[in-house]
Amino acid sequence: MAERRTRADAVSNRVRIVEVARELLTTTSDLAMNAVAKAAGVGQGTLYRNFPTREALLTEVYRADVERLVASAPELLAEHDAVTALRMWLDNVADYAQVKRGVLAALEPASGHDLAGRAGPPGRRSGPVAGHAEPAVGHAEPAVGHADPTAGHTGPIGEAIDRLLAAGRDEGTLRADVDAGDVLLLLGFLSRPEAAGRARHVLDLILDGLRVR
Amino acid sequence: MAERRTRADAVSNRVRIVEVARELLTTTSDLAMNAVAKAAGVGQGTLYRNFPTREALLTEVYRADVERLVASAPELLAEHDAVTALRMWLDNVADYAQVKRGVLAALEPASGHDLAGRAGPPGRRSGPVAGHAEPAVGHAEPAVGHADPTAGHTGPIGEAIDRLLAAGRDEGTLRADVDAGDVLLLLGFLSRPEAAGRARHVLDLILDGLRVR
DNA sequence: ACCTGAACACCGTTCAAGT
DNA sequence: ACCTGAACACCGTTCAAGT
């Protein structure tokens, strides 16, 4: 008797939200939550129940792309040496960042709003403030303030990178003191608009720094 | 008869705004304009006349630090080879980014809001939308869409970097195909909170990529 | 079980009116 | 000449009330 079927309208709402969001992102890269709700023809509450954070929504929007990207890493490793595979994979990421204008940008931490208090006397103040769902690509759990031990769960993208790095380490062609977190930090430049024409070139520099001398 | 003295209250307002902003930035890294005006005890209009954009305000807040940073480049070059000088200079930048939490972050493009229209029937709609003053550090004039020719006026920081790069090029120790824009893009990682413990290490990787093999 | 939309607490920015 | 602050057009997020 468990596993009750979700209502049909609920399902269609969810997919419509994602579709609309994807479409809006081709134009705006900003993605105002209110705008998504309006464009999808649902109340804000519906939007928020389905996607408690903007990250959650973006994760869903780009899920297929991220999976493709992740899946390509072992495929490239099967046919090329690690350095070449890494290079090709990074080019894929760059292309992806190019096309999906603002994906990486949209997934950025969203800054402030975590000061807990605001000291507001009037109003609601009930649930937890928000709480960062896992981002689809790059930069997981900042754990603000203290450097977290166990360092790095960086999500599926991070695992793909680690696979490429490990292969290079085994070959002796990539530095052993580099992990996915380092690479993700370096890749952050792709989210900047100034990276437009230079992505390839900067990737050259990065890759050069990752190789053993 | 030109050069009329500015009113005393105007002057004190301006310096108070900057002081207050600097202080707020030690706590928040967010810097809401309204909050600055309130804390400084001035109307929003006064704030905006003095600093038409958030960048303009931040530039003023960090002017002294930026100048120090820029001035240190030739000093380092006088006493060390180019690679060492660059390395030390980058360490300085990292320290700076560490202490002034959110400087680089605060100076980021601020994303969207440039779609000109919004198609709003009611309301004002008068002056130009905004217009990006020059940032104090990193990433000048995106010129969204087209890769601008003449590539790179990257401000004083960019010039300091170019000086360091040129020295290395002359020595034959730094790659000739790298410019300040590349380095600024790579340095962007410093603005991410995840860079906290790893800044030095990632700088190692970057520097390695900049050296001739 | 799911939905809507008013309501709250914020933003940035402008501009009429004051001194 | 400079200032204030109300006002406008947005945000994100929550929650009472509906179906």
Side-chain angles (χ1 to χ4, degrees):
Chain A
M1 52 179 57
E3 294 292 296
R4 303 189 35 70
R5 284 245 301 287
T6 37
R7 258 164 49 177
D9 59 338
V11 176
S12 80
N13 274 342
R14 188 169 222 273
V15 320
R16 200 165 60 259
I17 287 170
V18 175
E19 274 170 10
V20 161
R22 199 191 328 268
E23 210 173 293
L24 288 180
L25 279 170
T26 66
T27 319
T28 324
S29 103
D30 243 357
L31 200 67
M33 293 300 262
N34 280 344
V36 173
K38 172 133 64 164
V42 302
Q44 301 97 300
T46 299
L47 172 55
Y48 275 91
R49 196 165 0 78
N50 279 283
F51 304 101
T53 66
R54 196 196 326 282
E55 282 78 10
L57 176 52
L58 291 167
T59 299
E60 191 59 30
V61 168
Y62 291 114
R63 179 187 294 286
D65 301 273
V66 169
E67 278 171 9
R68 231 189 319 274
L69 214 45
V70 168
S72 73
E75 293 170 12
L76 289 168
L77 279 174
E79 304 199 12
H80 305 89
D81 63 291
V83 172
T84 308
L86 178 56
R87 172 75 231 206
M88 295 176 95
W89 192 82
L90 291 177
D91 281 342
N92 286 349
V93 174
D95 290 343
Y96 173 78
Q98 203 82 3
V99 180
K100 315 286 182 181
R101 294 221 150 278
V103 194
L104 301 99
L107 289 173
E108 282 178 14
S111 69
H113 292 294
D114 44 337
L115 304 189
R118 284 275 194 208
R124 305 304 164 69
R125 179 137 306 285
S126 50
V129 179
H132 278 210
E134 89 274 49
V137 61
H139 321 299
E141 45 198 19
V144 183
H146 316 76
D148 60 346
T150 79
H153 194 50
T154 39
I157 293 275
E159 284 168 39
I161 295 176
D162 268 328
R163 207 163 304 203
L164 290 158
L165 293 176
R169 185 161 44 243
D170 292 349
E171 286 182 6
T173 50
L174 290 175
R175 293 173 59 141
D177 62 344
V178 179
D179 66 9
D182 299 327
V183 175
L184 282 168
L185 277 174
L186 287 167
L187 251 34
F189 85 93
L190 287 169
S191 70
R192 314 209 111 262
E194 309 94 299
R198 327 165 76 103
R200 233 99 199 170
H201 180 236
V202 176
L203 285 178
D204 276 337
L205 303 176
I206 290 174
L207 196 67
D208 240 48
L210 301 183
R211 287 159 67 180
V212 296
R213 297 192 86 81
Chain B
M1 51 180 59
E3 295 292 297
R4 302 189 37 72
R5 284 244 300 286
T6 37
R7 258 164 48 178
D9 58 338
V11 176
S12 79
N13 274 342
R14 187 169 222 273
V15 320
R16 201 164 61 259
I17 287 170
V18 175
E19 275 169 9
V20 161
R22 200 192 326 268
E23 211 172 290
L24 287 180
L25 278 170
T26 66
T27 319
T28 324
S29 103
D30 243 358
L31 201 67
M33 293 299 261
N34 281 344
V36 173
K38 173 134 63 167
V42 302
Q44 301 97 299
T46 300
L47 172 55
Y48 275 91
R49 196 163 359 77
N50 279 283
F51 303 101
T53 65
R54 196 198 325 285
E55 282 78 9
L57 176 52
L58 290 168
T59 300
E60 191 59 30
V61 167
Y62 292 112
R63 179 189 293 287
D65 301 271
V66 170
E67 277 170 8
R68 231 189 319 274
L69 214 45
V70 168
S72 73
E75 292 170 13
L76 290 168
L77 278 174
E79 304 197 12
H80 306 90
D81 64 291
V83 172
T84 309
L86 179 55
R87 172 75 232 206
M88 296 177 94
W89 192 83
L90 291 177
D91 281 341
N92 286 348
V93 174
D95 290 344
Y96 173 78
Q98 204 83 3
V99 181
K100 314 288 183 181
R101 296 219 151 279
V103 194
L104 299 99
L107 289 173
E108 283 178 13
S111 70
H113 292 294
D114 42 337
L115 302 189
R118 284 271 195 213
R124 306 302 168 69
R125 178 138 305 284
S126 52
V129 179
H132 279 214
E134 89 273 51
V137 61
H139 321 298
E141 45 198 19
V144 184
H146 317 76
D148 58 348
T150 78
H153 194 50
T154 40
I157 292 274
E159 284 168 37
I161 295 176
D162 269 328
R163 207 163 306 204
L164 291 158
L165 292 176
R169 186 160 44 240
D170 291 349
E171 286 181 6
T173 49
L174 290 174
R175 293 172 60 141
D177 62 344
V178 179
D179 67 9
D182 299 327
V183 176
L184 282 169
L185 277 174
L186 288 168
L187 252 34
F189 85 93
L190 287 170
S191 70
R192 314 210 112 261
E194 310 93 298
R198 326 166 75 104
R200 233 100 198 169
H201 180 236
V202 176
L203 285 178
D204 276 338
L205 303 176
I206 290 175
L207 195 67
D208 240 48
L210 300 182
R211 284 156 70 179
V212 298
R213 299 192 84 85

